[in-house]
Amino acid sequence: MQFTSERRLDDAVIEREFTLGEIPGILWTPASASAPAPVILLSPPPLGLRKTYPRLLARARHSAADGFATATIELPGSGDRPRWPAAEQALADLRRALEAGEPVSDEIIDALILPLVDKAVPEWQAALDALLSLPEIGGPVGYSGGVISIGTRLAVVEPRISAAALFAGSFVPRAMFEEARQVTIPLHVLLQWDDEGNDRQAALDLFDAFGSKEKTLHANMGGHTGVPQFAGDAAAQFFTRHLK
C-alpha cells in the first residue's frame, strides 16, 4: 500500500488516498484516535470512486465520529481502472433487456456479477492485509455496502470480518444463494422496496437464505437512491454493537 496524498477534514477526519498495485483507494481515520481503530470496509457500487465519493465521504465521516476507520477501493473495471470489455458487454445486455421490458435472464446476471465477485473479493482481502498492517488500524473488521454478492462471498471466505451491512440493490446470481447459507456473521440488510434496478423477491429470498443467527432486514419505501437518513443511522448503530 502506497499513500499518495493526505489531508485533514474539519479537524475530525484524516483522508489518505493510496494505491495497492494498480488499485486506487481511500482511507479515512479519526483524527483524534489514541489507539488502533476498528475498520469498516466501504464497498462502492461499480460506478467509480469519483462519482460515489460524496456518499462514501458522508459514511466515512459518520463512522469516524463513532471511532471507526473506513477504507474503500475501486472495483475492477470501474473508475480509472482498465476497461473490462466482458463486463461492459454484460452491462449492455442488462440495459437492453430492461429497456425492452424483458426478463433479465440468469445468463446475463451471471455474466455481470460472478466475474466481478471473483475479481473483487481477493482484492478486498489484499487491501485488508495492508490495512491491518498499519499501526493506526486494528480489529475487529466490518464490511458495508456495495454489490451484495461481493459482501456475501467475503462473509463466507474472510474470517477477519465480524459483521456486515449489505445493500440489497443489485441482481443476485442463483449460485450466491448456496453461498449465503454459509454466512454466519451478524448481518444488517438494507432493502429499498421500490428499487427500480433490483429484483425485490430475489433480495428477500437471499435474506432468507443467509445462515446467520442474527440478521436484520430494514426495508424502506422508495427507489435505489432514496435511502432515508435514519436507515444509515441504524447501520451505524449495528456496527457500534458489533465492532466495539
Side-chain angles (χ1 to χ4, degrees), residues 156-178:
V156 173
V157 304
E158 181 46 74
R160 292 173 292 183
I161 294 178
S162 300
L166 305 176
F167 180 41
S170 55
F171 288 96
V172 182
R174 292 185 182 275
M176 297 309 302
F177 288 84
E178 185 57 39

Side-chain angles (χ1 to χ4, degrees), residues 38-131:
V39 63
I40 299 172
L41 309 178
L42 294 183
S43 183
L47 301 173
L49 291 184
R50 296 180 189 275
K51 289 184 178 180
T52 57
Y53 174 80
R55 280 184 283 167
L56 294 169
L57 177 60
R59 290 161 62 190
R61 287 183 184 276
H62 198 158
S63 296
D66 292 333
F68 300 122
T70 49
T72 188
I73 57 174
E74 191 79 84
L75 292 178
S78 296
D80 296 328
R81 294 191 63 179
R83 291 181 57 194
W84 189 1
E88 292 175 358
Q89 181 60 56
L91 182 58
D93 292 341
L94 172 66
R95 288 173 174 165
R96 189 178 303 111
L98 292 174
E99 290 170 359
E102 300 172 350
V104 179
S105 68
D106 290 343
E107 290 76 11
I108 291 176
I109 295 173
D110 288 354
L112 181 66
I113 302 297
L114 292 179
L116 177 61
V117 173
D118 290 342
K119 285 178 175 285
V121 166
E123 292 181 352
W124 268 118
Q125 292 181 294
L128 185 55
D129 289 342
L131 289 165

